[in-house]
Amino acid sequence: MKKYGFGVDVGGTSIKLGFFETGGKLLEKWEIPTRTEDKGAKVLPDVAAAIRNKYKEKGLHKEDIAGIGVGVPGPVDAHGTVRGCVNLGWKTVDVVAVISALTGLPTAAANDANLAALGEMWQGGGIGYENVLMVTLGTGVGGGVIMDGKIAAGAHGAGGEIGHMTVNFTETEPCNCGRRGCLEQYASATGIVRLAKRHGMELPNMSAKSVFDAARAGDQKALEVTDTMSRILGRALANVAVVCDPEVIVIGGGVSKAGTFLMDAVQGYFEKNAFSACRGTRFALAKLGNEAGIYGGMKLILQEID
Amino acid sequence: MKKYGFGVDVGGTSIKLGFFETGGKLLEKWEIPTRTEDKGAKVLPDVAAAIRNKYKEKGLHKEDIAGIGVGVPGPVDAHGTVRGCVNLGWKTVDVVAVISALTGLPTAAANDANLAALGEMWQGGGIGYENVLMVTLGTGVGGGVIMDGKIAAGAHGAGGEIGHMTVNFTETEPCNCGRRGCLEQYASATGIVRLAKRHGMELPNMSAKSVFDAARAGDQKALEVTDTMSRILGRALANVAVVCDPEVIVIGGGVSKAGTFLMDAVQGYFEKNAFSACRGTRFALAKLGNEAGIYGGMKLILQEID
């Protein structure tokens, strides 16, 4: 096994890169801006140049590098082809073919949420497990399913898109996806603020954090919001569990920073609603923060060249 | 590749066996009774004897047989160990170790619903696809998920147990599993009869079939029942699709014999409720009937020895 490799996480505004030892140690991380002009045509050449420059800077050669794993914010098929990334201006882009042509290195690609799940399994909150459900509670709700140690991307790259499970068929406000009643409308940071307003809460610069702070301080309305959010999320996770049956559910994203009081409530509703075989599913907090994607990239290419 | 193999489907009252060409042709099928006395200790020796007798009867030798794939009505872990089969009187039983010791042949085991899904992928309604969700609408609602051509059994063997997704949190009657509001309470044959009674239907010897027959004849209450069942099932499948993202949903079991008028209604509700990426998911009727399990057994052992 070669000693080094790269994990890359392409986002809408910046690209995170990680230079790793293939054993799992992150040696160096850095970011470059995402140049979305020209329909995102510069994104992958920028990634390739950054990687080449980095290993040369280290006095290394192509022969020292195991490969590159790249996460992108859109659906990726089993061959590493992206079918549209709105944030990058991409239509169909063969990420694997382009990066490997520009670098001469083995390359793999996956959806960024799935890659974060793989990273958390490898070196984060899901370490020691091979069946992991990762849930990211951020501006939206992202998800990734790992089964038997591998990303379960599904037929259209929509595997693990649990933010768009419908949890309320009578919701009147639309989700960003155009449908109504998605989990994301209740369990994301923006969803929690929306719930709080519905419960008549009025806080200056209201955020998920300020709602949780108020709940911790005993505010009745904030406690109701927290309970509603936990119930909806715990029940949704129980329904996810009978489909993919994880050993551990790893929860990350900004909302998870509310800490154990929220996570305990979610787990409580999960256990109350889970099918008997799944009741023992563990819960863990994510550990890698926004480095999960680059860790996942490194692990993905190791799996592909194995 | 050896020319022959066996698929076995162990049920609570009988054991189905299939003698196959490894290319997929079912040469002969037969049944033996399931002897559940002595905590089911005779079940696996009976299977082993039946297989030995069959290949000897054909003038074949152990060396001509690729192996045996066995389905059991309970959760099976990744190593082929069963963690309890109520119907057979089993607690923990290592099916693979026992059958391979008794026959000297490569053996694999899986949950029967998952094996049926694999069988339908190989030679049935899911032929040509590698990401398949199989739903069996019988006395209960069974399910199996195939991702990238392999059974997605999950951590506790509960993968694909979609009959126990909660679809109604205000249900007052209990499901067989002890919880309330499971999909099985609405979309199984017994669930449909329950719904019909709730809608005030009165038919002699009411069954799912008689309800659907009444709906086809234009009975208003029966049409309402069919619509309710289709809506609940279509919505549930849309929520399953954002977790495992199948290319095709194969529907089998006695209820699926209601035919296209029911399946079209289910698919209509699915498409209305599915996340955009999953809206193109195909629907197909199962083709193998109660032979799906033995086909799946044959395919499973071929995958394991590959």
Side-chain angles (χ1 to χ4, degrees):
Chain A
M1 171 59 72
K2 294 176 180 183
K3 199 174 173 193
Y4 303 102
F6 290 90
V8 181
D9 188 359
V10 178
T13 55
S14 74
I15 301 167
K16 295 184 185 65
L17 297 106
F19 174 59
F20 285 87
E21 279 181 4
T22 49
K25 189 173 175 191
L26 176 59
L27 298 172
E28 191 176 332
K29 60 169 180 162
W30 74 106
E31 295 192 15
I32 60 175
T34 307
R35 295 197 288 162
T36 52
E37 60 259 37
D38 299 340
K39 294 183 182 164
K42 290 169 178 160
V43 171
L44 295 180
D46 285 353
V47 168
I51 285 172
R52 250 190 339 258
N53 293 340
K54 182 61 64 182
Y55 71 71
K56 286 182 180 166
E57 173 197 317
K58 302 285 175 192
L60 298 169
H61 302 277
K62 205 169 73 178
E63 292 67 32
D64 301 310
I65 310 298
I68 307 165
V70 183
V72 298
V76 180
D77 73 17
H79 309 290
T81 300
V82 178
R83 307 280 173 204
C85 275
V86 181
N87 293 343
L88 306 178
W90 288 0
K91 295 207 192 299
T92 298
V93 175
D94 190 336
V95 176
V96 169
V98 174
I99 293 284
S100 62
L102 293 174
T103 62
L105 289 166
T107 305
N111 169 266
D112 53 3
N114 289 337
L115 216 54
L118 190 66
E120 288 286 345
M121 178 199 81
W122 189 39
Q123 298 290 340
I127 207 164
Y129 298 98
E130 292 217 303
N131 290 278
V132 177
L133 169 65
M134 165 91 189
V135 184
T136 304
L137 307 174
T139 315
V141 171
V145 175
I146 307 294
M147 297 192 81
D148 298 330
K150 301 283 177 67
I151 290 173
H156 316 90
E161 278 278 11
I162 68 163
H164 298 287
M165 288 186 83
T166 309
V167 295
N168 178 3
F169 290 96
T170 63
E171 176 63 58
T172 53
E173 291 183 74
C175 178
N176 283 331
C177 78
R179 292 154 60 244
R180 286 179 165 72
C182 293
L183 176 60
E184 180 160 300
Q185 291 184 274
Y186 306 88
S188 64
T190 44
I192 289 157
V193 170
R194 200 179 66 93
L195 279 181
K197 287 181 181 160
R198 279 207 179 167
H199 277 75
M201 281 187 77
E202 288 174 18
L203 292 169
N205 298 318
M206 190 148 62
S207 67
K209 184 176 183 310
S210 63
V211 173
F212 293 133
D213 287 344
R216 260 198 226 87
D219 180 273
Q220 193 53 42
K221 284 178 181 169
L223 285 166
E224 285 170 24
V225 170
T226 307
D227 184 62
T228 301
M229 180 273 194
S230 306
R231 187 179 67 244
I232 290 173
L233 179 57
R235 285 174 169 179
L237 294 177
N239 275 348
V240 173
V242 288
V243 182
C244 66
D245 188 19
E247 289 164 280
V248 63
I249 299 176
V250 177
I251 304 198
V255 173
S256 70
K257 298 209 171 69
T260 53
F261 101 102
L262 179 68
M263 290 305 110
D264 289 350
V266 173
Q267 188 170 1
Y269 278 111
F270 174 87
E271 286 168 3
K272 206 165 154 182
N273 289 281
F275 182 53
S276 55
C278 305
R279 250 168 241 159
T281 302
R282 290 175 183 81
F283 277 66
L285 286 169
K287 287 185 180 160
L288 302 177
N290 60 23
E291 293 171 7
I294 56 174
Y295 275 92
M298 184 69 248
K299 180 63 175 170
L300 182 69
I301 187 63
L302 292 174
Q303 289 182 336
E304 298 256 324
I305 62 179
D306 185 28
Chain B
M1 172 58 73
K2 294 175 178 184
K3 197 172 174 193
Y4 304 102
F6 290 91
V8 181
D9 187 0
V10 178
T13 54
S14 73
I15 300 167
K16 296 184 184 68
L17 297 105
F19 174 58
F20 285 87
E21 280 181 0
T22 49
K25 189 175 177 189
L26 177 59
L27 298 171
E28 191 175 333
K29 60 168 179 164
W30 75 106
E31 294 191 16
I32 59 175
T34 306
R35 295 197 288 162
T36 52
E37 60 260 37
D38 299 338
K39 296 182 181 164
K42 291 170 177 160
V43 172
L44 295 180
D46 285 353
V47 168
I51 285 171
R52 249 188 340 257
N53 293 341
K54 183 59 65 182
Y55 71 71
K56 286 181 180 167
E57 173 196 318
K58 301 286 175 191
L60 298 169
H61 303 277
K62 205 169 71 177
E63 292 67 32
D64 300 312
I65 309 298
I68 307 165
V70 184
V72 298
V76 181
D77 73 15
H79 309 290
T81 301
V82 177
R83 309 278 174 206
C85 275
V86 181
N87 293 345
L88 306 179
W90 288 0
K91 294 204 193 301
T92 297
V93 175
D94 190 337
V95 177
V96 169
V98 175
I99 294 283
S100 60
L102 292 174
T103 61
L105 288 166
T107 305
N111 168 266
D112 53 2
N114 289 338
L115 217 54
L118 190 65
E120 287 286 345
M121 179 199 80
W122 189 39
Q123 298 289 338
I127 207 165
Y129 298 98
E130 293 218 303
N131 289 279
V132 177
L133 169 65
M134 165 92 190
V135 184
T136 305
L137 307 173
T139 315
V141 171
V145 175
I146 307 294
M147 296 190 81
D148 298 330
K150 301 282 177 67
I151 289 173
H156 316 91
E161 277 279 10
I162 68 164
H164 299 287
M165 289 186 83
T166 310
V167 295
N168 179 4
F169 290 96
T170 62
E171 176 63 58
T172 53
E173 291 185 74
C175 178
N176 283 331
C177 77
R179 292 156 60 245
R180 286 179 165 74
C182 292
L183 177 60
E184 181 160 301
Q185 290 184 274
Y186 306 88
S188 65
T190 45
I192 289 158
V193 170
R194 201 180 66 93
L195 278 181
K197 287 180 181 160
R198 280 208 177 164
H199 277 76
M201 282 188 76
E202 287 174 21
L203 293 169
N205 298 318
M206 190 150 61
S207 66
K209 184 178 183 309
S210 64
V211 173
F212 292 133
D213 287 344
R216 258 197 226 88
D219 180 274
Q220 193 53 42
K221 285 179 182 169
L223 285 167
E224 285 169 23
V225 171
T226 307
D227 185 61
T228 301
M229 180 276 194
S230 307
R231 188 180 63 243
I232 290 173
L233 179 57
R235 285 175 169 180
L237 294 177
N239 276 348
V240 173
V242 288
V243 183
C244 66
D245 188 19
E247 287 164 281
V248 64
I249 298 175
V250 177
I251 303 198
V255 173
S256 70
K257 298 207 173 69
T260 54
F261 101 101
L262 180 67
M263 290 305 110
D264 289 350
V266 173
Q267 188 170 0
Y269 277 111
F270 174 87
E271 286 169 2
K272 206 165 155 182
N273 288 281
F275 182 53
S276 54
C278 305
R279 249 167 243 160
T281 302
R282 290 176 182 81
F283 277 65
L285 286 168
K287 287 186 180 162
L288 302 177
N290 60 21
E291 293 171 6
I294 56 174
Y295 275 93
M298 184 68 248
K299 179 63 176 172
L300 182 69
I301 187 62
L302 292 175
Q303 289 183 338
E304 298 255 326
I305 62 179
D306 186 27

